Amino acid sequence: MSWRSSCLQRRLQPNKSPWRPLSTISLQPPSIASALASPPSDDGENVTIQVFGTVRTIRKQKQRAFLQLGDGSTVHHLQALLNPDHAQGLSTGAFVAIKGLWRPAPPGKEQSHELHAQQVTVIGAADSENYPIQKKFQTAEFLRSIPHLRLRLPLHALLARIRSESEFLLAQYFRDRSFLRVQSPVITSSDCEGAGQVFSLDTRAPVPEDHGDAAPEGHPFFRKPKYLTVSSQLHLEAYMQEHPKVWTFSPTFRAEKSDTPRHVSEFWMLEVEMRTQSLKEIMNLVEDMIKSLVQGLQQSSFLEELITMRRSRENLQTEEYLEDLEPLPTRWAMLKEGPWPQITYAEALRLLQDSAVSGKSKFFHEPSWESGLQLEHEKYIAATVGAGKPVFVTHYPRIIKPFYMLPSATKENDSTVGPRTSACFDLLLPEVCEAVGGSLREHRLEELEATMPLLEPSLKGKSPSERTEVGDSSASTKGGGSLDWYLDLRRFGSVPHGGFGLGFDRLLCYLTGVRNIKDVVPWPRFHGRCDC
């Protein structure tokens, strides 16, 4: 018998191993969410269940103890009744397994059933004296200093589930529409946005300790300075040359010192690039994507759980975390209504200036063509033009936008668009404001080469033959310096295309009513802080 025939015969023989396939082994007992959602019938039959979870609170009396158990599967806790022996040594924060009778609760109780414990096993004890998360009020600022522990709070467990489901729904949305998901690098050679707010990598190799005071400087790990990415767009364009529709979901970094509820230094971006000549087509995709996401989230209990958290007096810190969530169902409903309104930058500017002149509004920053829209301007536009819906603002001045954007294809003296604008848009969400930015890309080599020196500081005043990277004797002299590879995408065949980037964490803030982006990001990094 040949070796291949022998292998095939063994494969076809029944499995005589005493071990069952992994898929048939229950690795965990039912979650608290499933136990609360499907209580047994009230026919007096004793039903035994076992649950795992973290002790939220425990109240000990002489004859019994009342314990509230949570496991992250729901914001609602499971109440267990323990005898004094079972409760001995238990404290808030401990991870336990409780087995007992699942019985109807007395009338007037919050839950229909409660667990009468017969066996309690402490899997992970907690130091009750030093456990930092207590039932008392704790500020959001304090909890940001212990992100590894605040994940255990019911609100943050809920936000983690919403985040997970949103990622799944978005991935499913793009897969159903034949988009290819790709991976982009975190370490890059350029600043995509041209804003200069990048984290530079220390690329020097470590110096051995035994060199003492005479230790030489470390040699660069890379030949040239490198940075943490501010956007995956340029690399997505490389994929797009071969694949018509691509997208990615990855971390993004900005060395911005703004200490506002809208800014962090590390956040997640969903970015899309596709072959198209229509800005409208890209905006339609953004609108349809967000509506599809909301539709999917409404199939779960997330909305009800968010409102429950806001109303809960046991979680006092949620009042600092969350807005008034009574209008949240209306917010989700407005997102699904359409079409969303659109306004050009020129029209928005006239709207702001007219409001200021008439005295209807007072702006700290005077609206002007080259200064861009400030947060107060975006809020005014979202409120007046959107009336509860998101608003697309299109055709911004080229001078305030990155070099890669295609000029607007408009007629001369078109007052609705204005002179020298880019075919681009920002999507403004009420209160949160800018959450999505997109544009058509300049796909022509000569036009792109002419634009880059105007907006890329390192290339200003240099001829194409001089645009090499400083200190790099091997650099190409084709004209793009650190972005020469990006010019290759036009130099060796290109196609009209465009795309957008969605600030995922800002969108989650809007959907959940969380006031500060630092509280919707699981591990917030911002100026002066990078805990854990």
Side-chain angles (χ1 to χ4, degrees), residues 140-330:
E141 180 61 30
F142 167 72
L143 292 172
R144 289 173 200 144
S145 69
I146 51 170
H148 58 300
L149 295 177
R150 75 170 184 174
L151 293 172
R152 304 183 186 188
L153 289 169
L155 173 61
H156 286 276
L158 172 59
L159 292 176
R161 288 187 286 117
I162 294 175
R163 191 181 193 93
S164 175
E165 184 68 10
S166 297
E167 290 182 23
F168 167 77
L169 291 171
L170 289 168
Q172 185 179 56
Y173 175 87
F174 286 110
R175 187 178 186 276
D176 290 345
R177 287 154 183 80
S178 301
F179 278 78
L180 179 71
R181 184 171 186 174
V182 298
Q183 288 71 45
S184 55
V186 172
I187 300 175
T188 66
S189 59
S190 60
D191 175 7
C192 172
E193 299 294 334
Q197 298 167 339
V198 294
F199 284 103
S200 299
L201 294 181
D202 184 356
T203 58
R204 294 172 297 174
V207 177
E209 294 181 0
D210 56 4
H211 274 260
D213 296 336
E217 291 188 8
H219 296 290
F221 188 88
F222 299 108
R223 291 181 303 161
K224 301 171 286 292
K226 302 301 173 187
Y227 316 96
L228 294 180
T229 182
V230 298
S231 172
S232 299
Q233 179 210 311
L234 305 188
H235 296 89
L236 281 185
E237 291 189 54
Y239 279 109
M240 186 279 311
Q241 301 295 336
E242 186 67 17
H243 308 282
K245 299 185 291 186
V246 296
W247 75 288
T248 192
F249 185 65
S250 60
T252 304
F253 307 87
R254 301 284 173 94
E256 191 171 0
K257 296 183 179 180
S258 299
D259 186 19
T260 75
R262 302 167 62 247
H263 292 91
V264 283
S265 296
E266 179 185 357
F267 53 97
W268 284 75
M269 288 282 289
L270 184 152
E271 297 182 76
V272 170
E273 207 67 29
M274 56 190 286
R275 297 177 190 173
T276 182
Q277 299 186 67
S278 169
L279 188 65
K280 178 67 174 176
E281 183 179 1
I282 302 173
M283 292 191 291
N284 287 344
L285 178 65
V286 171
E287 183 172 341
D288 186 64
M289 173 193 69
I290 295 178
K291 288 180 177 179
S292 175
L293 172 62
V294 174
Q295 180 68 35
L297 291 176
Q298 285 185 320
Q299 305 305 312
S300 68
S301 62
F302 295 138
L303 193 57
E304 179 269 333
E305 289 186 88
L306 284 166
I307 295 175
T308 297
M309 285 300 303
R310 184 63 175 83
R311 291 173 177 170
S312 174
R313 294 183 179 179
E314 298 176 1
N315 298 280
L316 298 176
Q317 64 267 21
T318 59
E319 295 184 9
E320 185 179 2
Y321 272 111
L322 301 174
E323 304 169 1
D324 180 8
L325 297 187
E326 297 301 331
L328 200 60
T330 302

Side-chain angles (χ1 to χ4, degrees), residues 44-75:
E45 181 181 356
N46 287 329
V47 176
T48 301
I49 67 170
Q50 184 181 36
V51 290
F52 289 2
T54 300
V55 177
R56 303 288 190 212
T57 63
I58 183 168
R59 180 164 52 91
K60 299 177 182 179
Q61 299 178 349
K62 289 184 178 181
Q63 301 298 325
R64 66 178 63 185
F66 298 89
L67 181 147
Q68 293 181 350
L69 196 69
D71 66 354
S73 63
T74 174
V75 298

Side-chain angles (χ1 to χ4, degrees), residues 440-486:
L440 295 176
R441 320 304 192 192
E442 179 56 82
H443 59 280
R444 301 163 297 180
L445 177 61
E446 291 184 1
E447 285 77 0
L448 185 59
E449 283 187 314
T451 304
M452 287 177 66
L454 300 177
L455 297 170
E456 181 74 7
S458 63
L459 301 180
K460 286 184 178 180
K462 295 183 180 180
S463 65
S465 61
E466 296 173 321
R467 295 173 198 163
T468 59
E469 294 186 82
V470 176
D472 180 22
S473 59
S474 63
S476 167
T477 58
K478 296 173 185 176
S482 63
L483 289 172
D484 195 55
W485 69 270
Y486 184 66

